[in-house]
Amino acid sequence: MITRHRILPVLLILTALVTVAYWVSYFTGGDVRVVDARWYTAFESSFPVADGWLAITAFIAGIGLWRGESWGARFGLLAGSALLYLAAMDITFDVENGLYALVPHSQPMQFELLINLWSLALGLWTIAASWKRAAA
């Protein structure tokens, strides 16, 4: 059974794994693409390196927080910051291009909305929890 203090590390590791799976899907089958227009794919195709950084920091933070290591909290601050930055970029792009209007009938856009909300919530939680642990 996963205890309450183990939930955040598990979610960070899960986030890292889902991030990798997202990009595998994006570049192999395209199932996660909201639209295939060049303006969209040009924007999305610029994110793998940044999302790679997010995945690495989230994975390391998850391991460190799980084990109760002090470096876990420091990586948590990195991961939380990356989550918030990427969420802000995605949300801004989606709002400016009217993509949220596609949510009712587009599974990829529904997944995009979930990613946006997940990134915001997990980013805030990770920073808050890591800040306390890093200061201790």
Side-chain angles (χ1 to χ4, degrees):
M1 180 174 176
I2 297 176
T3 60
R4 184 176 57 86
H5 70 280
R6 302 278 181 152
I7 295 171
L8 179 58
V10 167
L11 294 179
L12 287 168
I13 292 167
L14 178 66
T15 297
L17 297 174
V18 169
T19 299
V20 171
Y22 175 92
W23 288 108
V24 168
S25 173
Y26 181 87
F27 285 114
T28 59
D31 296 335
V32 295
R33 291 184 193 166
V34 175
V35 295
D36 285 321
R38 178 70 184 132
W39 58 267
Y40 174 82
T41 58
F43 175 78
E44 288 296 322
S45 295
S46 66
F47 276 83
V49 174
D51 278 0
W53 172 250
L54 163 64
I56 290 167
T57 59
F59 188 80
I60 294 171
I63 298 298
L65 292 170
W66 180 276
R67 295 175 52 187
E69 302 285 350
S70 61
W71 49 264
R74 290 191 285 277
F75 273 92
L77 292 171
L78 294 171
S81 178
L83 281 161
L84 291 180
Y85 182 81
L86 290 167
M89 290 296 295
D90 270 348
I91 291 167
T92 301
F93 180 79
D94 293 340
V95 167
E96 287 182 354
N97 292 284
L99 294 176
Y100 288 121
L102 302 175
V103 168
H105 57 274
S106 169
Q107 285 186 335
M109 194 56 212
Q110 291 165 7
F111 187 53
E112 176 73 15
L113 177 60
L114 176 65
I115 291 169
N116 295 165
L117 296 173
W118 180 273
S119 297
L120 279 175
L122 186 61
L124 290 170
W125 180 17
T126 301
I127 288 173
S130 297
W131 194 275
K132 288 183 202 176
R133 291 177 184 158

